[in-house]
């Protein structure tokens, strides 16, 4: 006879909110429903036990446990490195360490290359204003000069008024930076950039900055400027090395979890790079098609089969192309769910 534990005795699980703390004043964000349950959620003990003495991972059992209860937030970063394909489960501890060090060196080289073109890269700071025109000329705007102040001035409530004229000419998103926002020396120059790749890259830097200050802002984690700058650096470096896609809005939402889950910036970059290998097609848009067009068509076909009435209702409302789901698919429901729930959705195998 099978014994079943009464529902009232079952462990309801611990909420994951404490690992992804939300700022107290942000009361309108979705509440996390994912709960850490003993015996179901992949724990640190179960994770470490899944490795052989040499370092080979039993990926089958690991995926099964993840499917049933997700991953404990304390080990999410290292588990994701395997889920995203950064490491082969059959590799050893020593082999992975060699790969890790080589990748860190490669990231440092790319970052230094970007730093040589624009010194704010790797400085712990970032910019939210355009720095060049489309023909490669430096922009001599007050807000640009403020953010690239040669004396490293600090933007505080006392001296913010000095740049009021420049701020007024930028969108409101650029004023959402934290009150104490310091900058480093980047000498403005009248030099005209002729390299098309460099022009395109520099044109995206301010857009990356604007998106960074809007990404996961309810989270306490992003109250620290160093974490915002990490996100900006990774996205800037990726935009430089990916010649075809560069940077597009939405990538910051995909990269943000990597910053939070992995302490080392280089490791976070490589997790993001692996994720983009799967998703970069979503960001390929032309005048005649969008990158997620095939997925939207699949969504329409699935809905038509599973819920014909819903599909008919959507068509009646004029949404038969399912473009309303564009953002959901583009950023993998990052903005529709709480931070913790969206990660659980990403990692749960189907």
């Amino acid at each position: 006879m099978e014994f079943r534990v009464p529902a009232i005795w079952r462990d309801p699980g611990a909420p994951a909110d404490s690992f992804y703390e939300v700022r107290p004043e942000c009361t309108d964000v979705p509440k996390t429903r994912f709960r850490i349950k003993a015996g179901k959620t992949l724990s640190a003990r179960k994770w470490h036990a899944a490795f052989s003495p040499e370092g080979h991972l039993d990926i089958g059992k690991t995926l099964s446990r993840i499917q049933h209860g997700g991953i404990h937030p304390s080990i999410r970063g290292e588990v994701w490195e395997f889920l995203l394909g950064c490491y082969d489960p059959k590799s050893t501890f020593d082999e992975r360490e060699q790969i890790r060090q080589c990748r860190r060196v490669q990231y440092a080289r790319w970052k230094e290359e970007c730093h040589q073109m624009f010194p704010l890269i790797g400085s712990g700071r970032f910019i939210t204003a355009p720095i060049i025109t489309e023909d490669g000329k430096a922009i001599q705007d007050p807000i640009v000069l403020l953010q690239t102040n040669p004396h490293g001035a600090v933007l505080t409530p006392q001296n913010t008024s000095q740049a009021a004229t420049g701020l007024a000419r930028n969108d409101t998103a650029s004023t959402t930076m934290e009150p104490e926002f310091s900058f480093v020396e980047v000498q403005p120059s009248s030099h005209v950039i002729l390299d098309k790749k460099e022009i395109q890259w520099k044109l995206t830097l301010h857009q990356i900055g604007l998106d960074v200050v809007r990404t996961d802002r309810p989270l306490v984690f992003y109250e620290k400027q160093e974490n915002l700058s990490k996100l900006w650096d990774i996205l800037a470096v990726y935009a430089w090395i990916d010649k075809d896609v560069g940077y597009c809005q939405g990538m910051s939402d995909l990269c943000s979890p990597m910053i939070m889950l992995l302490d080392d910036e280089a490791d976070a970059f490589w997790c993001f790079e692996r994720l983009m290998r799967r998703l970069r097609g979503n960001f390929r848009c032309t005048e005649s098609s969008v990158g997620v067009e095939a997925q939207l068509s699949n969504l329409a076909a699935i809905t038509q089969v599973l819920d014909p009435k819903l599909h008919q209702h959507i068509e009646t409302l004029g949404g038969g192309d399912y473009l309303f789901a564009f953002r959901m698919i583009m950023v993998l429901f990052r903005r529709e769910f709480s931070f913790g729930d969206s990660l659980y959705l990403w990692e749960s195998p189907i």
Side-chain angles (χ1 to χ4, degrees):
M1 180 178 178
E2 182 180 359
F3 175 75
R4 292 183 178 274
V5 178
I8 58 173
W9 293 354
R10 293 174 189 165
D11 179 12
D17 291 348
S18 59
F19 290 87
Y20 314 117
E21 188 178 357
V22 175
R23 293 156 62 183
E25 65 272 21
C26 299
T27 58
D28 59 343
V29 297
K31 297 294 183 181
T32 297
R33 296 185 180 183
F34 170 71
R35 304 185 77 82
I36 305 166
K37 296 184 178 181
K40 288 190 175 182
T41 302
L42 178 64
S43 64
R45 183 178 65 83
K46 290 288 186 180
W47 168 245
H48 295 141
F51 289 91
S52 71
E54 296 77 21
H56 304 300
L57 173 64
D58 187 337
I59 191 66
K61 289 184 178 179
T62 301
L63 292 177
S64 178
R65 185 167 290 274
I66 293 173
Q67 185 176 23
H68 284 89
I71 302 170
H72 193 282
S74 64
I75 57 170
R76 227 173 203 144
E78 52 188 294
V79 178
W80 274 32
E81 289 184 297
F82 285 88
L83 297 183
L84 291 170
C86 293
Y87 300 118
D88 187 338
K90 297 179 181 179
S91 61
T92 65
F93 290 124
D94 290 340
E95 289 170 343
R96 289 195 291 275
E97 183 59 27
Q98 291 178 11
I99 293 173
R100 180 180 291 108
Q101 294 306 322
C102 287
R103 286 175 176 165
R104 288 178 178 178
V105 170
Q106 179 61 71
Y107 176 71
R109 288 173 179 166
W110 283 332
K111 190 173 179 179
E112 177 59 26
E113 190 176 346
C114 293
H115 175 78
Q116 293 300 320
M117 294 185 291
F118 192 63
L120 248 65
I121 303 295
S123 69
R125 300 161 179 86
F126 58 94
I127 197 166
T128 59
I131 58 173
I132 63 170
T133 62
E134 292 189 359
D135 56 0
K137 296 180 181 178
I139 295 179
Q140 304 295 327
D141 188 88
I143 185 62
V144 177
L145 297 178
L146 175 64
Q147 293 195 357
T148 58
N149 188 285
H151 304 293
V154 177
L155 180 62
T156 64
Q158 288 72 32
N159 64 19
T160 300
S161 59
Q162 299 174 6
T165 304
L167 287 171
R169 286 202 292 270
N170 287 266
D171 61 34
T172 55
S174 64
T175 66
T176 61
M177 296 178 292
E178 297 303 313
E180 293 189 356
F181 199 83
S182 59
F183 305 93
V184 298
E185 179 175 355
V186 181
Q187 294 286 358
S189 171
S190 58
H191 173 67
V192 178
I193 302 171
L194 300 179
D195 183 77
K196 290 183 179 180
K197 180 185 176 183
E198 185 177 343
I199 290 175
Q200 185 58 44
W201 178 71
K202 287 190 172 181
L203 286 172
T204 67
L205 291 181
H206 85 282
Q207 184 59 59
I208 295 175
L210 290 175
D211 289 347
V212 161
V213 297
R214 291 186 289 232
T215 301
D216 290 324
R217 295 304 287 149
L219 298 179
V220 172
F221 179 83
Y222 282 116
E223 287 184 330
K224 294 183 179 180
Q225 183 178 309
E226 63 182 284
N227 294 328
L228 293 170
S229 65
K230 277 185 180 181
L231 182 57
W232 189 68
D233 283 346
I234 288 178
L235 292 170
V237 172
Y238 183 84
W240 175 247
I241 67 169
D242 190 332
K243 300 179 178 63
D244 296 328
V245 176
Y247 175 79
C248 299
Q249 283 186 297
M251 288 185 182
S252 60
D253 294 282
L254 300 177
C255 185
S256 174
M258 313 309 171
I259 304 292
M260 294 190 65
L261 300 182
L262 293 131
D263 294 330
D264 190 277
E265 183 181 317
D267 296 343
F269 169 84
W270 285 107
C271 275
F272 174 65
E273 189 271 342
R274 283 286 173 167
L275 179 64
M276 285 303 299
R277 291 189 187 189
R278 306 180 186 185
L279 300 177
R280 65 196 299 273
N282 288 355
F283 296 92
R284 287 178 172 273
C285 298
T286 65
E287 295 181 358
S288 59
S289 66
V290 295
V292 296
E293 188 172 15
Q295 296 177 63
L296 293 175
S297 298
N298 292 337
L299 177 61
I302 292 172
T303 305
Q304 187 173 14
V305 173
L306 297 181
D307 197 333
K309 290 184 178 180
L310 175 60
H311 178 75
Q312 183 59 47
H313 179 64
I314 292 174
E315 285 199 324
T316 302
L317 295 176
D321 52 12
Y322 279 68
L323 284 176
F324 63 85
F326 177 88
R327 188 185 72 179
M328 302 177 193
I329 295 177
M330 179 73 79
V331 297
L332 302 182
F333 295 93
R334 274 298 327 278
R335 302 181 190 178
E336 279 65 42
F337 297 98
S338 69
F339 186 84
D341 286 354
S342 64
L343 302 193
Y344 176 59
L345 177 67
W346 285 16
E347 68 199 10
S348 298
I350 298 176

